[in-house]
Amino acid sequence: MMDIVEESAELWVFGYGSLIWRPVFQYEMRQAARLAGYARRFCQASHDHRGTPERPGRVVTLLPVPGSICHGMAFKLPESDRHKILEYLDHREQDGYERLYTPLHVGEGRTVPGLTWIARECNPSWRAGETLEEVARLIAESHGPSGANRDYLFELEQALDALNIPDPHVSELSERVRQLSCESWLSERFR
Ligand code: BEZ
């Protein structure tokens, strides 16, 4: 079997979460991209970035959903730094995420060899089955070493808006978190 990292002429990393607005490595080029068969969902607990072990936040992963398409951003890796960047991302995404090698559709329809990191159902931080209201509450209340969980959500919402990518899951969650923040501000002021 072909070793994609070693042998493919080009290699792209697919960003569907924080990578969209904060790419953390040098890339040669970036392009709007699509990953078929997956949907972006806030169903992974975050103990080390947007929450703590005592109060984990929620961050996105990709759920396999037949017929679905996840829109995001793909980054072409410089060949000389491939290994260094992939090792860096392995380390950063260690809270339950693993590599997924997959063809990506970039720009106007070119298919390129790619990979991304996803948290699968079998990992201990997997939290599928929570209602939108429960997830919104957890996001509204969680903070971690990388900042407030709500900022992660709002930055994702803004980045998707800027790219004209509609995502009802992200926009409905953002609305609920804004509403909860407003309610908690009012109750603190007027209790
Ligand atoms: C993301 O959040 O978009 C992401 C982060 C690291 C690797 C792949 C994707």
Side-chain angles (χ1 to χ4, degrees):
M1 203 171 76
M2 180 181 171
D3 181 332
I4 291 171
V5 176
E6 297 294 343
E7 296 172 40
S8 54
E10 56 183 315
L11 184 63
W12 296 66
V13 167
F14 181 68
Y16 57 94
S18 59
L19 226 49
I20 297 180
W21 76 87
R22 199 177 47 243
V24 280
F25 51 81
Q26 295 285 337
Y27 51 87
E28 237 173 64
M29 175 197 304
R30 69 176 186 171
Q31 291 217 307
R34 302 174 299 292
L35 178 53
Y38 288 90
R40 178 177 16 241
R41 290 288 180 272
F42 273 81
C43 65
Q44 176 72 358
S46 172
H47 304 87
D48 55 359
H49 278 296
R50 299 293 175 157
T52 60
E54 297 72 39
R55 192 179 274 268
R58 294 293 180 269
V59 289
V60 282
T61 181
L62 293 175
L63 287 192
V65 178
S68 190
I69 294 180
C70 179
H71 292 262
M73 186 65 78
F75 303 88
K76 185 178 181 200
L77 301 186
E79 205 177 338
S80 55
D81 280 345
R82 257 184 213 179
H83 285 284
K84 206 172 79 191
I85 294 168
L86 298 186
E87 276 167 26
Y88 168 76
L89 290 171
D90 279 337
H91 179 73
R92 184 172 181 264
E93 300 301 306
Q94 60 193 341
D95 192 8
Y97 289 80
E98 57 185 86
R99 292 186 193 186
L100 169 74
Y101 291 97
T102 176
L104 300 171
H105 306 288
V106 295
E108 296 303 314
R110 211 160 73 81
T111 303
V112 296
L115 81 162
T116 189
W117 276 252
I118 68 169
R120 295 179 193 275
E121 199 168 345
C122 50
N123 91 89
S125 302
W126 174 261
R127 296 289 186 276
E130 295 172 332
T131 64
L132 221 51
E133 198 53 43
E134 286 166 333
V135 178
R137 219 165 260 289
L138 290 163
I139 291 176
E141 292 168 358
S142 300
H143 299 257
S146 304
N149 204 169
R150 77 182 61 167
D151 293 340
Y152 171 95
L153 169 66
F154 295 154
E155 284 183 280
L156 178 57
E157 182 194 32
Q158 272 179 24
L160 294 176
D161 270 0
L163 294 168
N164 287 320
I165 299 175
D167 187 324
H169 176 70
V170 172
S171 44
E172 279 170 34
L173 257 181
S174 302
E175 264 321 298
R176 282 172 197 244
V177 172
R178 275 190 280 275
Q179 210 172 327
L180 286 170
S181 307
C182 180
E183 282 167 17
S184 107
W185 185 85
L186 284 172
S187 77
E188 273 171 28
R189 285 229 131 180
F190 301 108
R191 88 184 120 169

